[in-house]
Amino acid sequence: LPGTTMSLVRVIDRIEFYLVPYHEKHSLLFQTMFKNINYVHWQITLVIGIFLGSLVSALLGRSRTFVSVPKTWEHSFGPSKSKRFFGAFIGGIVIMFGARIAGGCITGLALAYGLQLVISAWIFILSLFVTGIITASILYRRKY
């Protein structure tokens, strides 16, 4: 069962089908991976629901700011909301790209296979925490 990151691939496949139909008809990847697939898939509706639910929650909440700047970010990078939004957007793209290269997402690998005690999942989990700690210590180092 493919992870939720597959929703992006399904949407891109549909866009590519309308923009460059020749490529999809002659691509081995699309012929094997997307043959007989229902494009109105539960994962796509889940992703749309996550976006709409977050938007409704933000609109109904007391805070009217869509992009907030946490104190740790402000301390390291300044109070710019546009810089924070751009950083979060690029970070999301990098995470999605990495998930597609890995053939899944963090929850699929870490949770599903980690609970099955698969060694590669535990190596991934350990690597995730170690690189997270190193990255956070570099990005958010205190300036004295």
Side-chain angles (χ1 to χ4, degrees):
L1 180 67
T4 304
T5 57
M6 190 59 133
S7 302
L8 175 69
V9 177
R10 290 175 193 266
V11 170
I12 289 173
D13 174 56
R14 286 295 85 197
I15 292 170
E16 186 172 13
F17 175 75
Y18 291 112
L19 295 179
V20 191
Y22 177 83
H23 180 260
E24 183 174 352
K25 289 177 184 174
H26 295 88
S27 169
L28 182 61
L29 171 71
F30 290 115
Q31 292 303 315
T32 56
M33 194 171 193
F34 296 111
K35 189 175 184 178
N36 300 324
I37 285 184
N38 181 6
Y39 284 95
V40 181
H41 196 262
W42 69 267
Q43 290 171 331
I44 292 174
T45 56
L46 173 71
V47 171
I48 293 169
I50 289 170
F51 172 76
L52 293 176
S54 331
L55 181 63
V56 168
S57 177
L59 291 173
L60 294 176
R62 290 193 174 119
S63 175
R64 294 291 181 207
T65 59
F66 285 101
V67 181
S68 62
V69 181
K71 294 294 180 192
T72 53
W73 175 277
E74 187 176 337
H75 179 71
S76 297
F77 302 106
S80 172
K81 288 184 179 184
S82 59
K83 186 188 285 187
R84 169 72 175 155
F85 179 81
F86 183 73
F89 186 76
I90 295 300
I93 289 173
V94 170
I95 288 172
M96 182 64 80
F97 183 71
R100 291 311 317 146
I101 287 175
C105 61
I106 292 172
T107 55
L109 183 59
L111 296 179
Y113 293 121
L115 292 175
Q116 295 176 16
L117 302 178
V118 176
I119 298 296
S120 62
W122 283 95
I123 292 170
F124 170 73
I125 293 167
L126 179 66
S127 301
L128 182 71
F129 279 100
V130 168
T131 55
I133 291 169
I134 291 170
T135 302
S137 64
I138 291 170
L139 287 178
Y140 295 112
R141 65 179 165 257
R142 298 193 182 268
K143 297 172 183 145
Y144 295 105

